[in-house]
Amino acid sequence: MTPRDAIKPYAFVLIPGFSQLGFACALEALSLANRHPSGGPYYRWRVLSETGAPVTAYNGVTTAADSTLTALDRNETIVICAGEDVGRNTSKPLVNWLRREVRKGMDFGALSSGTYVLALAGLVAGKRVTTHWEYRAALTEILPDVIMEDAIFSIDGRVFTTAGGAASMDMMLERIKADHGTELATWVADQMVYTDPRLPDHAQRATLQSRTQVRNGKLAMAMQIMENNIEDPLTPDEISDAIGLSTRQLERLFAKYVGVSPKRYYLRLRLEKARDLLRQTDFSVTEVCVACGFKSLSHFSKSYRAAYGISPGLEGGDARLVWRGSI
């Protein structure tokens, strides 16, 4: 039996719209560790919400909270669990509580878009962090002083963040290994039937070639160059030169494998980013226009309406990150 003062405590803070999968994966890893034949327990936890009331995840499942945002012990680890609509569901009292508790010196982290809450509290400036890929572009625009990594989880000192979903399991296995050694972490992974835990630098998404089913190397290179140059789009000639083809050869590749011209494909990428920014930030249409490489507001509006059937000024979604800076 582990002495009580050696048991590592966690405080999971649920924000409405949180990712049920990310929370469950993180909690289950700790729960399974306590079942190890050595006797345990190794961990204990409590679930908090701002009001102490049950919290509903984005999938509609409601989870009970043990208490409201109460004072924590210095040895507790805070985990902010968020997901959709994190901006509107992150209040000033929650941010103030987080700032106050973190001053005690405990470890703290976030699942999925919970990274945004840490940033609002001013706790991750200059830190290496990650978040779910769906929120990454918006958070990068909003939080330029945060080092946003394309990783399934990041650990920087006492700060840990994860993309959420199954990546929460990878992060917790890493923390279990750091706390109690490889043997326990491996045993937990086996209990989860998770035989190949991923390292933090594992990409969040499948490769561009896998996602698009493109097997032509030159075409994949051109697509990647486009993805990497949204704010300052390159010309077809510049892209062709970069991959060692003529503009006509590049056009033939896109026509054969993608069914659209390079120009049309590039426009689609820029409009997709524009939609993410409009839905997830409070950026003006003009700011989004510039961030996505459009030189003319009228051209941007016309292209957006043609693609999505709605004016960019009327766009809005359920996942808006509505604040910039701290509160």
Side-chain angles (χ1 to χ4, degrees):
M1 178 84 55
T2 304
R4 182 168 179 79
D5 59 2
I7 299 173
K8 293 186 176 295
Y10 276 76
F12 291 90
V13 181
L14 303 185
I15 296 177
F18 71 96
S19 165
Q20 185 77 36
L21 176 60
F23 169 62
C25 284
L27 184 60
E28 190 68 5
L30 300 183
S31 179
L32 285 169
N34 286 347
R35 294 181 54 214
H36 189 269
S38 62
Y42 295 99
Y43 298 97
R44 58 184 171 86
W45 54 85
R46 48 179 163 172
V47 178
L48 310 180
S49 70
E50 183 174 352
T51 64
V55 184
T56 302
Y58 81 92
N59 63 1
V61 174
T62 298
T63 299
D66 297 311
S67 73
T68 186
L69 298 177
T70 186
L72 304 180
D73 296 329
R74 186 184 182 281
N75 63 339
E76 287 190 83
T77 295
I78 301 174
V79 185
I80 303 296
C81 306
E84 291 188 353
D85 211 9
V86 62
R88 280 194 289 260
N89 287 321
T90 302
S91 67
K92 188 171 183 178
L94 168 60
V95 170
N96 288 339
W97 172 86
L98 182 58
R99 287 173 179 154
R100 183 176 63 250
E101 294 303 314
V102 166
R103 289 194 198 106
K104 297 176 180 178
M106 70 260 289
D107 286 358
F108 61 96
L111 312 182
S112 189
S113 64
T115 303
Y116 183 60
V117 182
L118 302 184
L120 281 178
L123 301 175
V124 290
K127 294 289 187 179
R128 294 180 292 106
V129 299
T130 192
T131 190
H132 190 280
W133 63 265
E134 190 175 20
Y135 303 106
R136 186 168 180 264
L139 288 178
T140 300
E141 293 286 345
I142 296 170
L143 307 168
D145 58 343
V146 172
I147 304 169
M148 192 66 65
E149 296 188 320
D150 180 18
I152 58 171
F153 67 91
S154 293
I155 299 175
D156 190 343
R158 61 192 180 111
V159 181
F160 57 92
T161 52
T162 175
S168 298
M169 191 159 47
D170 296 282
M171 182 188 69
M172 280 303 182
L173 288 171
E174 185 69 18
R175 290 185 62 81
I176 291 170
K177 181 169 67 174
D179 290 340
H180 302 290
T182 301
E183 192 277 332
L184 179 59
T186 301
W187 187 88
V188 171
D190 287 344
Q191 290 295 309
M192 288 177 147
V193 197
Y194 193 49
T195 55
D196 193 17
R198 299 169 294 177
L199 296 174
D201 59 356
H202 193 286
Q204 291 189 24
R205 304 176 72 187
T207 64
L208 179 63
Q209 285 179 288
S210 297
R211 298 201 313 268
T212 61
Q213 297 299 302
V214 168
R215 295 293 177 262
N216 184 283
K218 293 285 189 179
L219 179 58
M221 287 173 60
M223 290 177 164
Q224 192 63 63
I225 288 171
M226 292 176 180
E227 283 197 2
N228 294 342
N229 293 273
I230 298 294
E231 186 170 352
D232 295 303
L234 304 178
T235 66
D237 287 345
E238 289 172 324
I239 297 171
S240 300
D241 288 344
I243 63 174
L245 294 177
S246 69
T247 303
R248 187 175 294 276
Q249 287 174 316
L250 181 64
E251 290 174 346
R252 283 201 292 264
L253 280 178
F254 270 88
K256 179 178 180 180
Y257 293 105
V258 187
V260 297
S261 68
K263 182 178 179 181
R264 176 61 60 181
Y265 180 82
Y266 208 172
L267 175 63
R268 187 168 68 197
L269 290 180
R270 291 158 59 202
L271 289 172
E272 286 174 353
K273 179 177 179 181
R275 183 169 57 174
D276 286 344
L277 292 177
L278 288 167
R279 289 182 170 186
Q280 298 175 3
T281 74
D282 66 345
F283 282 10
S284 69
V285 173
T286 300
E287 289 174 309
V288 173
C289 173
V290 172
C292 297
F294 291 91
K295 305 303 182 185
S296 162
L297 187 58
S298 61
H299 178 226
F300 170 54
S301 297
K302 182 179 179 180
S303 299
Y304 197 94
R305 191 179 298 108
Y308 301 120
I310 186 174
S311 166
L314 298 177
E315 184 64 271
D318 294 332
R320 291 177 67 88
L321 307 175
V322 298
W323 289 317
R324 281 183 273 183
S326 61
I327 57 175

